[in-house]
Amino acid sequence: MHKIGIDLGGTKIEGILLDEKFRIIQRKRVQTHQENGYDSIVKSVTSLVNELKTKTNEEISVGICTPGVTNVNSGLIENSNTQCFIGMPLKNDIENALSHEIVMENDANCFTLAESLLGAAKEYDIVFGIIMGTGVGGGIVINGNIHKGSTNIAGEWGHHTLRPYGNECYCGRQGCVETYISGPALEKRWLEITGKKESLQSIVQDLSDEKLKQWKKEFLKNFGIGVANVIDILDPDVIVLGGGVSNIEFLYDEGKNFVYENVFSDNINTPILKNHLGDSAGVFGACLITDKL
Ligand SMILES: [Zn+2]
């Protein structure tokens, strides 16, 4: 059986067609037009799947990696940073449009599964994956299987409370990790401190003056406490970082030190690794979930 994996992101929708040995047959990327609304995104996904389907004569499985969590009872999406998905029966709607069964999973879970089986965490049993991009998410993979939790929210690291009464979050609560260390949150904080609107990429190029130091220290502290909380509870064998923010090199040395300082034990050596699959973790993860679930 061949596999189609779709990574449904806030800015792009990527699709891949793999053969049974995970070799790429076809790959295609289209823009996500959030401004055109939910129906147009469902339509883009279906036409991408249908286009990939024409490239093989084999039977196919379809896996979709999406922001947000599907409520186990209602089938509706919750806590998605692509906010037009919230409250929508996304899986049902795509299945109806395709007339084909699909497997759908949260993007951070797909990322963690892909890095566990094919990427940076191949050698490790208990893996915590973190995506820091437009949003922040986490996933837990144990011995090659996603640990989903009893209500499907295991690993939802981006919405654990870092600071009570802190920044407002779209999820309706305050102080979530995502409101401090997502790409947009970091750029917003930079604007507050310096009055300059700059991209994260250009901000981290030179962090020598005092304002930059303040921004970096806050960032490292928030990252350090957030990741230390995970280690205290899960004590994973490895932590893998993904998403645009994971390209910041100081997370792997200074960032790691902040994490270790905040962990309950002083006997800590959990590796914090950069992902290996880059942007491809989503599509590969989406293919892998059709084997795993
Ligand atoms: Zn939140």
Side-chain angles (χ1 to χ4, degrees), residues 158-159 169-173 176 179:
H159 294 275
C169 184
Y170 71 82
C171 77
R173 292 176 307 115
C176 296
T179 69

Side-chain angles (χ1 to χ4, degrees), residues 177-217:
V177 173
E178 175 163 316
T179 69
Y180 293 94
I181 62 169
S182 69
L186 288 164
E187 287 168 358
K188 187 171 164 231
R189 185 67 187 131
W190 178 255
L191 178 66
E192 285 167 1
I193 295 175
T194 65
K196 284 190 274 186
K197 204 175 162 83
E198 277 183 86
S199 73
L200 193 56
Q201 219 178 353
S202 85
I203 295 169
V204 296
Q205 265 165 17
D206 178 14
L207 290 166
S208 49
D209 89 31
E210 282 310 307
K211 281 178 178 167
L212 313 187
K213 281 184 190 152
Q214 184 195 338
W215 176 87
K216 184 177 171 185
K217 199 173 163 196

Side-chain angles (χ1 to χ4, degrees), residues 13-280:
I13 304 170
E14 183 160 14
I16 202 167
L17 172 67
L18 301 180
D19 70 10
E20 51 290 312
K21 295 205 163 124
F22 292 94
R23 287 176 300 216
I24 300 171
I25 300 170
Q26 185 82 18
R27 186 169 194 161
K28 189 175 176 182
R29 189 179 272 207
V30 295
Q31 295 248 300
T32 312
H33 290 290
Q34 278 199 58
E35 68 284 4
N36 297 342
Y38 175 77
D39 290 342
S40 99
I41 298 179
V42 171
K43 211 176 268 175
S44 305
V45 171
T46 16
S47 48
L48 188 53
V49 172
N50 285 330
E51 190 184 329
L52 291 168
K53 234 195 236 179
T54 62
K55 309 291 177 193
T56 173
N57 296 319
E58 299 271 320
E59 230 187 292
I60 49 143
S61 62
V62 181
I64 298 191
C65 146
T66 168
V69 170
T70 305
N71 182 297
V72 277
N73 298 319
S74 65
L76 306 178
I77 295 274
E78 294 173 341
N79 277 2
S80 167
N81 57 41
T82 303
Q83 291 181 39
C84 67
F85 292 166
I86 296 174
M88 303 307 280
L90 184 62
K91 179 169 185 279
N92 246 352
D93 287 345
I94 296 175
E95 281 181 336
N96 288 340
L98 281 174
S99 306
H100 194 287
E101 199 190 341
I102 63 169
V103 182
M104 202 165 82
E105 190 51 72
N106 169 266
D107 51 6
N109 286 353
C110 288
F111 163 79
T112 310
L113 185 64
E115 289 294 335
S116 295
L117 298 178
L118 306 169
K122 264 203 296 204
E123 311 295 318
Y124 301 91
D125 295 331
I126 302 177
V127 182
F128 191 74
I130 289 175
I131 297 187
M132 297 187 289
T134 321
V136 172
I140 301 167
V141 168
I142 301 175
N143 297 325
N145 294 300
I146 295 171
H147 173 70
K148 294 162 70 117
S150 61
T151 61
N152 228 7
I153 63 157
E156 275 292 307
W157 182 71
H159 294 275
H160 89 278
T161 307
L162 197 58
R163 298 189 190 183
Y165 314 110
N167 294 341
E168 301 275 345
C169 184
Y170 71 82
C171 77
R173 292 176 307 115
Q174 280 178 277
C176 296
V177 173
E178 175 163 316
T179 69
Y180 293 94
I181 62 169
S182 69
L186 288 164
E187 287 168 358
K188 187 171 164 231
R189 185 67 187 131
W190 178 255
L191 178 66
E192 285 167 1
I193 295 175
T194 65
K196 284 190 274 186
K197 204 175 162 83
E198 277 183 86
S199 73
L200 193 56
Q201 219 178 353
S202 85
I203 295 169
V204 296
Q205 265 165 17
D206 178 14
L207 290 166
S208 49
D209 89 31
E210 282 310 307
K211 281 178 178 167
L212 313 187
K213 281 184 190 152
Q214 184 195 338
W215 176 87
K216 184 177 171 185
K217 199 173 163 196
E218 283 181 19
F219 174 18
L220 288 174
K221 200 169 168 194
N222 289 328
F223 174 77
I225 295 172
V227 177
N229 289 343
V230 173
I231 297 180
D232 282 341
I233 295 165
L234 183 66
D235 198 3
D237 297 325
V238 67
I239 291 172
V240 187
L241 308 184
V245 179
S246 75
N247 293 323
I248 298 178
E249 292 303 329
F250 63 66
L251 290 176
Y252 302 94
D253 41 43
E254 292 167 273
K256 189 168 81 173
N257 293 339
F258 268 75
V259 172
Y260 287 7
E261 276 167 30
N262 283 288
V263 173
F264 165 69
S265 159
D266 51 14
N267 181 28
I268 191 77
N269 56 8
T270 316
I272 296 178
L273 306 178
K274 196 172 187 172
N275 64 83
H276 281 182
L277 299 169
D279 270 1
S280 302

